[in-house]
Amino acid sequence: MPSHVYRVTKYDPADRDERGHYHGPEDVVSDHGEVEAACLKAVAAFAADTGVDHLVVREPEVSSLVHFGGEPAREDFGLDALFPSGRDGFHDGARVPLDVGLELVRVMLRDGGAWCRLEVEDTFAVHVGWDQYLYVGSDRACEQALARTRALGLFPERLAASPYAFGAGDGEEAPGVQRAADDAFWVDVRHAVAAGRAGILEEMYLEGASRWHHLTGDSVDPVRAGLAPRARLAVWPPLSTDVEAVLDSLPADGLVEGVWQCEDGLVHSAVAHEEVFTELASRMSGARAAALLSVYADERVPVCTAVMPDQDGVLRARWRI
């Protein structure tokens, strides 16, 4: 995180108690109007003071099982209008012009289901937290931006660091090997497929969103060519053709992920709890092959994992599989 970090909010510090809790009149959701516009102008002012004209998307995510936002999650999470390829353009490492970056800040302020860090390495960063809290970091003091922010009616406060900086969250920078999905990895995948130990690949292209691919000796290379930049990969055993036995193994309660291949060859998945197991079984009953996977981390053990490197072969993704 850059050395100068500010918390920028609409909350007057005079309305905070001795523990820093806010008790004033401002609502915790976006007004979609003047205050939201002021936040975007403040970020633009800090970017101008820092001398950046673009931002880089880091660790993007969308809401999946549960949405805790202050507003209903949008079907496209507000992303389709920002990227020519829709959600596919929202990936780790995506470089976006400043105006698109500001629109991503708007999406996050509206709390509709999409989130990411916006950064320029060691130079600039914008993080959006709960309840309309903005954290802006710069390698410069940004005195003009601070004055502009105050003139907009917002309250910038100096902090030691952003609570949303990478590494501050649970599980980030966790110990363990982060393997690149390089040529050697794909050789191992081909061997595992040929030996019958691998049959499907989970492509986690966003936090909270996955695509599934059927692996055969002929499909490994085409699947590799179509994967999202910096996607996290998990290789799983082949699906079972005894779909009836798979469905009979549904637990009495809890959460489970069903994965199944339809007659058209496409692989689908759905996470379900006991109240909708009947619906899940109905969706899977006509499948060519299927499997049930645990959603609990200590029980969810794939054959192997890796993260897609950049085109130059360097692994720059920070998130963990």
Side-chain angles (χ1 to χ4, degrees):
M1 191 75 182
S3 54
H4 299 271
V5 179
Y6 303 94
R7 182 175 70 181
V8 177
T9 73
K10 58 187 176 182
Y11 307 116
D12 189 336
D15 293 323
R16 295 184 184 275
D17 62 22
E18 64 278 1
R19 293 178 295 175
H21 297 161
Y22 179 74
H23 297 286
E26 293 290 345
D27 201 343
V28 296
V29 298
S30 173
D31 68 346
H32 292 220
E34 292 183 3
V35 176
E36 179 184 271
C39 291
L40 300 184
K41 290 175 183 177
V43 173
F46 277 99
D49 259 13
T50 309
V52 300
D53 60 1
H54 72 279
L55 295 169
V56 177
V57 173
R58 302 307 310 266
E59 295 81 44
E61 61 184 67
V62 293
S63 57
S64 53
L65 290 177
V66 181
H67 174 61
F68 295 105
E71 302 188 20
R74 293 176 53 177
E75 184 175 352
D76 68 349
F77 303 104
L79 300 173
D80 285 358
L82 302 183
F83 298 94
S85 56
R87 197 191 308 181
D88 288 346
F90 185 56
H91 61 79
D92 190 79
R95 176 177 168 135
V96 299
L98 181 60
D99 60 341
V100 174
L102 292 176
E103 288 303 312
L104 282 171
V105 173
R106 188 195 305 275
V107 166
M108 290 185 277
L109 287 172
R110 294 187 179 185
D111 216 5
W115 187 87
C116 68
R117 298 177 176 93
L118 291 166
E119 301 179 358
V120 177
E121 187 174 3
D122 299 327
T123 302
F124 190 72
V126 182
H127 305 149
V128 180
W130 292 105
D131 299 340
Q132 305 285 289
Y133 279 77
L134 265 175
Y135 300 88
V136 183
S138 175
D139 64 350
R140 305 178 189 179
C142 296
E143 296 295 341
Q144 292 183 358
L146 289 169
R148 172 66 170 152
T149 299
R150 294 185 183 101
L152 288 165
L154 302 175
F155 301 93
E157 302 169 80
R158 183 74 184 269
L159 297 180
S162 164
Y164 293 89
F166 184 80
D170 292 340
E172 293 181 337
E173 295 183 325
V177 176
Q178 182 81 319
R179 184 179 184 184
D182 54 14
D183 290 342
F185 169 79
W186 292 104
V187 168
D188 289 346
V189 171
R190 290 189 195 93
H191 288 164
V193 170
R197 294 186 292 107
I200 52 173
L201 181 140
E202 181 183 9
E203 174 197 3
M204 291 159 274
Y205 62 102
L206 296 173
E207 182 69 40
S210 294
R211 288 185 283 253
W212 292 82
H213 307 275
H214 183 219
L215 296 177
T216 66
D218 295 330
S219 72
V220 170
D221 287 340
V223 166
R224 177 185 182 183
L227 296 173
R230 301 188 183 180
R232 293 165 294 169
L233 311 178
V235 178
W236 295 92
L239 300 175
S240 171
T241 56
D242 191 347
V243 177
E244 184 176 350
V246 170
L247 296 180
D248 286 343
S249 68
L250 278 167
D253 54 30
L255 285 173
V256 69
E257 182 167 16
V259 183
W260 67 96
Q261 183 183 26
C262 294
E263 289 299 326
D264 59 9
L266 297 179
V267 180
H268 305 270
S269 77
V271 176
H273 52 78
E274 63 273 9
E275 294 181 6
V276 292
F277 279 172
T278 301
E279 180 182 343
L280 176 65
S282 176
R283 295 178 65 184
M284 297 175 65
S285 60
R288 179 189 300 176
L292 297 177
L293 300 178
S294 173
V295 300
Y296 305 107
D298 57 348
E299 300 173 358
R300 192 177 176 92
V301 184
V303 174
C304 58
T305 64
V307 180
M308 290 293 290
D310 290 350
Q311 291 187 347
D312 60 4
V314 178
L315 180 57
R316 295 186 177 89
R318 301 182 300 202
W319 50 15
R320 296 285 170 174
I321 189 71

